[in-house]
Amino acid sequence: MAGERRGEDTVSEYLGQNPELAQWVETFRGYCETNKQWCGRREFILRNMEGFPTVEPGLSSSSLDRLLSLSMVWANHIFLGCSYPKPVMDKIEEMGDGITVKDAPVHRTMKEEAMARGKRSATADADADSCVKRAKCGPNELDGRASGRATARPASQKSGPRPQAPAEHQPFFNRLYKAVAWKLVSAGGFGPNLDHFEILRSCVESCKQSLTCVFVPLKDIAGLPAGRTQKDGHVCEIRCQTVYMGTGYGRDESAARAMASKEALKVFQGRKVTVKICRRRFKGKDVEDLMLLDEQPRTQGFPPALSFPFQDEQLEDGSS
């Protein structure tokens, strides 16, 4: 701890003696970086500037871009547990030698995590579906439960999310917001060529949670516009901790999941995300649902719910 304190003091003293350098390096701080993350990455940048002779304060260059990229990779590894090819890991380990981060997060590999938790309820398949609990027989079957009866819940949760549910879920999604922001920065920003599901899945798992995907064949969805002739394909709904995140359509389940993940990641493009209770349509009825929203005003309603984690027998009976 004393060593880290001395390191921070040395950096602060150095920047205090070089105010123009301090002002310049501060422009590289990410919006979502905490003080601890930024102090570590700032020290990484300053320590390694000598290794990039063409880097000059105030001037853009390919060497500066490379240094900043390596600093982000180092920070992603230290704070988020991201891993990269061995040559890259060796490089950032060498460049980060001597930097001490107080109370740095401890990350475990997927193998270690699986051993610690025991055998997971969902077996990993070839396309990274280990975190996905599927419901394929109809819009009301979630995680393999029969659609005619829901799992027993406390009375306060039977007809919808509890009033205090948004406040209970908000801290997790604040952490997820930061994880997604860092992941997108390291990927070069949000764009159409990303593996949106893999980004979302890895960020959720880094926060020690998992995604739930519900797939429904398009032909099984009631209430489509009369003029719509397309009946092939699937619709996917993504949730995390019962909170709705996005809906997507595709010709198969993988494409639908990718589109739903893209829609979910769009919510993280604002300055913050908020968990709210909103009204949605489910099986022809208005229900209260937990939803993850950004700050953008909505010009249209929400897509109908494919699942409803808060349903009870009364709702089921009334909608059959």
Side-chain angles (χ1 to χ4, degrees):
M1 182 179 298
E4 180 184 8
R5 185 71 262 169
R6 288 194 296 271
E8 291 179 359
D9 291 342
T10 300
V11 172
S12 298
E13 181 180 354
Y14 175 68
L15 292 177
Q17 297 171 354
N18 299 271
E20 292 185 0
L21 177 64
Q23 185 176 5
W24 173 71
V25 77
E26 196 66 27
T27 62
F28 302 128
R29 179 171 183 173
Y31 174 78
C32 296
E33 284 185 276
T34 65
N35 289 333
K36 178 186 293 187
Q37 292 168 344
W38 169 237
C39 286
R41 193 165 73 89
R42 181 181 64 182
E43 184 175 351
F44 182 97
I45 294 171
L46 295 173
R47 278 175 175 266
N48 290 284
M49 282 182 61
E50 292 184 359
F52 295 81
T54 59
V55 172
E56 296 184 25
L59 299 178
S60 299
S61 67
S62 59
S63 294
L64 175 60
D65 291 340
R66 177 168 171 76
L67 174 58
L68 294 178
S69 297
L70 288 168
S71 75
M72 189 64 72
V73 168
W74 175 84
N76 286 346
H77 172 64
I78 295 297
F79 297 106
L80 299 180
C82 299
S83 60
Y84 299 87
K86 189 176 185 304
V88 178
M89 297 296 291
D90 291 343
K91 180 67 174 178
I92 62 172
E93 182 177 352
E94 177 186 354
M95 295 175 69
D97 184 40
I99 302 177
T100 303
V101 178
K102 179 183 176 182
D103 299 328
V106 177
H107 304 285
R108 294 185 293 187
T109 64
M110 292 295 292
K111 181 177 180 180
E112 292 169 336
E113 192 71 27
M115 292 177 64
R117 290 199 302 256
K119 192 172 182 179
R120 301 182 65 172
S121 58
T123 302
D125 62 21
D127 60 351
D129 281 342
S130 59
C131 67
V132 180
K133 301 172 184 177
R134 295 187 172 185
K136 300 175 65 175
C137 297
N140 301 319
E141 297 184 15
L142 182 61
D143 302 343
R145 302 186 186 103
S147 61
R149 186 172 299 273
T151 302
R153 294 174 177 268
S156 61
Q157 299 183 40
K158 282 189 174 181
S159 60
R162 296 176 299 166
Q164 63 269 35
E168 293 173 348
H169 287 289
Q170 191 63 49
F172 166 77
F173 283 96
N174 289 342
R175 296 195 303 273
L176 182 59
Y177 177 90
K178 293 181 179 180
V180 170
W182 279 78
K183 193 74 170 180
L184 290 177
V185 167
S186 66
F190 182 83
N193 297 323
L194 299 178
D195 187 337
H196 300 98
F197 173 70
E198 178 59 25
I199 288 177
L200 185 61
R201 181 200 63 79
S202 62
C203 290
V204 168
E205 288 195 348
S206 74
C207 296
K208 310 304 181 185
Q209 293 296 332
S210 60
L211 292 172
T212 297
C213 294
V214 176
F215 299 94
V216 177
L218 185 63
K219 61 182 178 60
D220 293 344
I221 298 180
L224 291 177
R228 182 165 189 141
T229 59
Q230 175 68 37
K231 294 296 183 181
D232 295 330
H234 288 75
V235 180
C236 174
E237 177 180 274
I238 291 183
R239 291 180 182 265
C240 183
Q241 290 191 323
T242 71
V243 177
Y244 167 83
M245 300 180 68
T247 298
Y249 160 78
R251 298 189 64 84
D252 53 34
E253 290 185 358
S254 179
R257 186 184 63 188
M259 186 57 66
S261 302
K262 181 179 180 180
E263 292 301 310
L265 286 178
K266 285 181 180 179
V267 179
F268 291 88
Q269 302 307 296
R271 295 178 63 87
K272 66 177 183 179
V273 292
T274 306
V275 180
K276 293 184 178 181
I277 296 178
C278 302
R279 302 288 293 181
R280 298 178 73 194
R281 298 290 289 178
F282 174 68
K283 294 182 63 178
K285 290 182 174 292
D286 284 332
V287 297
E288 291 187 339
D289 198 359
L290 276 178
M291 305 188 67
L292 187 67
L293 304 174
D294 55 19
E295 297 178 301
Q296 298 298 322
R298 298 187 64 87
T299 59
Q300 58 185 5
F302 304 112
L306 302 184
S307 64
F308 189 62
F310 321 99
Q311 64 191 13
D312 64 353
E313 295 180 10
Q314 181 177 358
L315 176 62
E316 287 286 340
D317 294 339
S319 58
S320 58

